[in-house]
Amino acid sequence: ELEKQDKQIKLVIKDNGLGFKSKVILAGKKHSFGLTGIIERVKILNGGITIHSSESGTEIKIYIPIL
């Protein structure tokens, strides 16, 4: 899902897979170059990211400000 809001662009990526332990990956305890790369790029663009994962799937929300 890609949506233009007032002063930002919102991207939502969802799946219904098995999920993963996002706290472990985000704490750097397990290597995940995909998520690390996404997070770095969002920060470069002064954006925000939330990651929620459970046994029923994963949802990643990315917010990028429109300049």
Side-chain angles (χ1 to χ4, degrees):
E1 172 185 331
L2 182 62
E3 178 183 341
K4 181 182 179 232
Q5 298 178 333
D6 288 333
K7 296 184 179 185
Q8 66 183 5
I9 295 173
K10 174 183 163 187
L11 173 64
V12 179
I13 305 164
K14 294 191 245 185
D15 73 15
N16 60 351
L18 300 174
F20 58 89
K21 294 181 180 178
S22 57
K23 289 182 183 180
V24 172
I25 291 172
L26 296 175
K29 296 179 182 175
K30 185 173 181 182
H31 293 290
S32 172
F33 294 113
L35 280 178
T36 301
I38 292 170
I39 293 166
E40 287 175 357
R41 286 167 177 82
V42 169
K43 287 181 181 179
I44 288 169
L45 296 169
N46 295 317
I49 184 169
T50 60
I51 301 170
H52 176 70
S53 190
S54 68
E55 292 94 19
S56 60
T58 299
E59 180 177 82
I60 300 172
K61 292 182 182 179
I62 298 172
Y63 302 91
I64 304 296
I66 299 172
L67 302 175

